[in-house]
Amino acid sequence: MRTNRLIQTVESHTEGLPVRVVTGGVGAFPGATMAERRDWFIANSDDLRTFLMCEPRGNGWLSGAILQPPTRSDADWGVLFIEVTGVLPMCGAGTIAVATVLVETGMVRVEEPVTRIRLDTPIGLIVAEVAVRDGRAESVTIVNVPSYAHALDQSVDVPGYGSIGCDIAFGGNYYAFVEAGGEPGSGGIGIPFDRDRGEDFTRAGRAIMAAVNEQIEPVHPVSGFRGCEHVVFLAPGSTESHARHILINHPGWVDRSPGGTGTSALMAVHHARGDLGLNMDFVNEFFIGTSFTGRLVEETSVGEHTAVVPTITGRSWLTGAAQYTLDPTDPFPAGFTI
């Protein structure tokens, strides 16, 4: 076998979302922080992301994480979150997968009933508490970054759909929350919340992202992170304690998990409206029936915004281990997309 590259991974899925965790074959990237490493990676090594995430080795809805030595003394591992569309500052489902992989492969010291893992990410330090029984990770609870409602009751003009009402919030990434029901042009999107309408939601989500970023682009007041690349369509009957939704990611694909950063952002919206207090369970259920359970554990601030510290609990399962190679004659050394 001839190869110019040999990358080791552990394959997993978090509540339905496939997550490829890179455990070997990649050295430490330059940078004094994980944010600097993310910037360096994007500028100098993005072909590794596309090699792993894009076809023929990946697909349009695959997520991933690259393990790194931490850049800070209080962290166990560093992580870069990758997917087909780019390098995320934070990924809740990816964090849950990474923590599960670290426990079940013995890459951290495992303690029962709870193993605490501190992860150095581009958005900051993320703490994961893994519930362990007989050496197996049964669930993972992460303490996410401070989340906040950026702008409530907004209206954007979306070509082909009219005026769409939305809330914009941050939970590690920016999200636009839109009602799936209602009539187009009167606030809602007018798409029935049915499994066979996934393509309709994808098209609408792509259009709403573009409209939000053109008309009311959100910018994080501390980090400067900007842009909305996620749209959540809420099912009729969703409440402040139990929501059902479908999540569309940039540039236009259906997330296979309930969304950790999205759950955080949605809880921040409910808190800003006075609907969700501290230490109350919030169940965020995805299209296919899987769910994350969230809690708000502390009030804080982000710039001038009132913010909350959320926890997210979910499950991940290991599905295999792999080695990815690159034949020197392969016509797609960095993968491809269609």
Side-chain angles (χ1 to χ4, degrees), residues 135-219:
R136 181 180 179 276
E138 293 194 322
S139 67
V140 179
T141 298
I142 64 172
V143 181
N144 198 10
V145 297
S147 305
Y148 75 99
H150 182 82
L152 300 178
D153 300 319
Q154 300 298 294
S155 180
V156 289
D157 293 323
V158 184
Y161 297 92
S163 178
I164 300 297
C166 65
D167 296 321
I168 309 294
F170 179 83
N173 298 289
Y174 279 110
Y175 288 78
F177 295 97
V178 178
E179 297 293 335
E183 294 297 326
S186 63
I189 198 65
I191 301 175
F193 196 78
D194 298 330
R195 193 84 162 262
D196 61 358
R197 303 300 292 270
E199 289 299 323
D200 295 330
F201 281 116
T202 299
R203 282 192 293 270
R206 187 185 299 117
I208 291 169
M209 278 181 231
V212 167
N213 287 324
E214 179 181 347
Q215 298 168 35
I216 50 172
E217 182 185 38
V219 180

Side-chain angles (χ1 to χ4, degrees), residues 14-66:
T14 300
E15 303 288 1
L17 175 71
V19 182
R20 178 168 293 160
V21 180
V22 177
T23 58
V26 177
F29 304 122
T33 66
M34 288 307 298
E36 289 184 7
R37 287 185 181 178
R38 175 177 180 263
D39 292 341
W40 184 92
F41 182 89
I42 292 170
N44 298 278
S45 195
D46 201 49
D47 63 316
L48 175 59
R49 174 187 66 83
T50 56
F51 172 81
L52 290 165
M53 296 288 101
C54 298
E55 296 181 71
R57 297 166 190 84
N59 56 61
W61 52 88
L62 176 65
S63 190
I66 302 175

Side-chain angles (χ1 to χ4, degrees), residues 311-330:
T311 66
I312 302 294
T313 300
R315 301 166 299 170
S316 190
W317 293 264
L318 273 57
T319 59
Q323 293 190 119
Y324 290 94
T325 62
L326 175 61
D327 189 293
T329 65
D330 191 326

Side-chain angles (χ1 to χ4, degrees), residues 150-301:
H150 182 82
L152 300 178
D153 300 319
Q154 300 298 294
S155 180
V156 289
D157 293 323
V158 184
Y161 297 92
S163 178
I164 300 297
C166 65
D167 296 321
I168 309 294
F170 179 83
N173 298 289
Y174 279 110
Y175 288 78
F177 295 97
V178 178
E179 297 293 335
E183 294 297 326
S186 63
I189 198 65
I191 301 175
F193 196 78
D194 298 330
R195 193 84 162 262
D196 61 358
R197 303 300 292 270
E199 289 299 323
D200 295 330
F201 281 116
T202 299
R203 282 192 293 270
R206 187 185 299 117
I208 291 169
M209 278 181 231
V212 167
N213 287 324
E214 179 181 347
Q215 298 168 35
I216 50 172
E217 182 185 38
V219 180
H220 195 278
V222 178
S223 69
F225 176 74
R226 64 194 308 133
C228 175
E229 296 190 345
H230 308 273
V231 175
V232 170
F233 293 100
L234 295 168
S238 294
T239 70
E240 68 280 359
S241 62
H242 188 165
R244 296 174 60 231
H245 75 281
I246 180 171
L247 167 57
I248 309 300
N249 298 322
H250 175 81
W253 58 280
V254 179
D255 199 309
R256 266 59 177 176
S257 86
T261 57
T263 301
S264 300
L266 183 53
M267 287 194 293
V269 168
H270 282 300
H271 185 75
R273 293 192 183 281
D275 298 331
L276 183 65
L278 300 182
N279 301 310
M280 299 171 63
D281 281 350
F282 175 76
V283 177
N284 199 21
E285 181 183 338
F286 179 56
F287 224 29
I288 62 174
T290 57
S291 64
F292 285 154
T293 298
R295 278 195 153 207
L296 302 178
V297 296
E298 182 184 345
E299 290 186 344
T300 184
S301 61

